[in-house]
Each structure stands twice: as structure tokens, then as C-alpha cells.
């Protein structure tokens, strides 16, 4: 009887040791995860200020501009609909020009301290060229901003303009021809 009691007590104590080490280990892992999360968020904020991405989506019905950081998190966005255009006027080149102006006013606090900017253009809408021209004439817009030094020019920050419009390589079958 004493022998069985000792064996049961030994199993119980080893189980308690295992559970105790698991609890301690989980606490250590949890503190490591919290510390790494804090360090990672600090690094992310530094990285996001150095490199920003502007996505231009120019469709036939609208023009959308989105500013993201290096991780792809959206910082601000603007569309022709949010600028007050309705219906068919959202897809015009004039609307795209106004979208760029509103976008710059909204995102100037992000763009001023930034060192590098990438621009990705998607779509074949009429506002596509005007949106790019609006970013080309930005040095005048930034020279009036009090936080920005006058000798720095915005176009020097643009390091990449890439076309990412999707092109089908004989993809979907077209609809059958109309019979008149």
C-alpha cells in the first residue's frame, strides 16, 4: 500500500512540475511576445515614415487615390465621389485633377517627412494622365507648406512609377455576336 501511494504521489508531483514549468514558460513566452510586439511596432513606425506608396486606380466611372505605408496599411484615401462629383462626371479628367488636389491637402502631413514615394497606376480611365500630371506639379504645392523646407522638391522623392493594370492573355471567351 505504501508503494502504490508513493508511485501515485510521484506521478502527481511530476505532473505538477510539468504544469508549473508550462505556466512559467507561457509567462516567459508571453512577455517575449509583448516585448517583440513593442519593438516591432517601433520599427514599423520608423519604416513607414521613410517609404510611402500611392495607388492610383483610374476606372471609366471613378478615380481613386490611396496612400499606404510600407506594410500596405491605408493612411488616407480620396475618390471623385468623395470630392463631390456625381454620376458620369466622376470619370472625367477634371474630376481626377480635383481628386489629386484634395488628396494632397489630406496627406501633406504624411508626405512631408517621407523620403521615398512609390506610385502604382492601375486602370485605363480618362483621369489617369491627369492624376500623374497632378503629382508632377507638386513642387509648387509643397513650397507653400510651412513645415516643408523650400529647397526640397517633391518630385525628387518619387523613386518609382509602375503600371500594374491587369491585361488578359486571351482570358475569358467574348460574348456571341449580335444578330440584327
Amino acid at each position: 500500500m505504501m508503494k502504490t501511494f508513493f508511485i501515485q504521489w510521484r506521478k502527481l508531483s511530476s505532473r505538477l512540475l510539468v504544469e508549473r514549468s508550462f505556466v512559467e514558460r507561457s509567462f516567459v513566452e508571453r512577455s517575449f511576445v509583448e516585448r517583440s510586439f513593442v519593438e516591432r511596432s517601433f520599427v514599423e513606425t520608423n519604416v513607414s515614415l521613410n517609404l510611402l506608396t500611392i495607388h492610383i486606380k483610374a476606372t471609366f466611372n471613378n478615380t481613386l487615390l490611396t496612400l499606404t505605408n510600407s506594410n500596405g496599411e491605408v493612411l488616407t484615401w480620396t475618390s471623385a465621389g468623395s470630392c463631390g462629383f456625381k454620376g458620369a462626371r466622376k470619370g472625367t479628367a477634371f474630376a481626377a485633377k480635383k481628386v489629386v488636389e484634395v488628396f494632397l491637402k489630406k496627406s501633406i502631413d504624411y508626405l512631408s517627412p517621407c523620403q521615398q514615394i512609390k506610385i502604382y497606376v492601375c486602370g485605363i480611365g480618362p483621369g489617369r494622365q491627369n492624376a500623374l500630371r497632378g503629382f508632377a506639379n507638386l513642387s509648387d504645392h509643397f513650397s507653400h507648406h510651412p513645415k516643408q523646407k523650400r529647397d526640397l522638391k517633391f518630385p525628387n522623392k518619387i523613386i518609382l512609377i509602375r503600371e500594374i493594370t491587369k491585361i488578359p492573355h486571351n482570358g475569358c471567351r467574348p460574348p456571341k455576336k449580335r444578330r440584327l
Side-chain angles (χ1 to χ4, degrees), residues 41-169:
S41 64
F42 177 74
V43 170
E44 285 176 2
T45 55
N46 286 346
V47 170
S48 64
L49 291 178
N50 292 333
L51 176 66
L52 294 177
T53 306
I54 298 173
H55 296 272
I56 301 172
K57 185 174 182 181
T59 64
F60 289 113
N61 297 324
N62 207 348
T63 302
L64 297 130
L65 292 171
T66 308
L67 179 70
T68 62
N69 61 6
S70 59
N71 296 330
E73 299 166 350
V74 175
L75 302 175
T76 183
W77 62 274
T78 308
S79 67
S82 66
C83 292
F85 294 95
K86 294 182 180 179
R89 297 194 322 166
K90 290 193 299 184
T92 61
F94 178 75
K97 185 177 177 184
K98 291 297 178 186
V99 167
V100 172
E101 292 175 7
V102 172
F103 179 76
L104 290 175
K105 289 177 185 175
K106 285 176 72 172
S107 61
I108 195 162
D109 293 332
Y110 296 111
L111 295 175
S112 295
C114 176
Q115 296 173 356
Q116 297 177 344
I117 296 174
K118 293 181 180 180
I119 298 178
Y120 292 110
V121 184
C122 177
I124 54 172
R128 153 195 182 108
Q129 291 296 327
N130 282 20
L132 285 174
R133 285 190 189 122
F135 284 114
N137 300 327
L138 287 182
S139 57
D140 301 333
H141 189 277
F142 273 84
S143 62
H144 302 300
H145 193 264
K147 294 181 182 178
Q148 181 73 12
K149 295 180 183 176
R150 292 191 183 268
D151 57 345
L152 293 177
K153 300 293 182 188
F154 183 80
N156 295 341
K157 295 181 178 185
I158 297 175
I159 60 169
L160 175 73
I161 298 176
R162 180 170 288 169
E163 169 67 33
I164 57 170
T165 304
K166 297 171 178 66
I167 301 171
H169 299 284

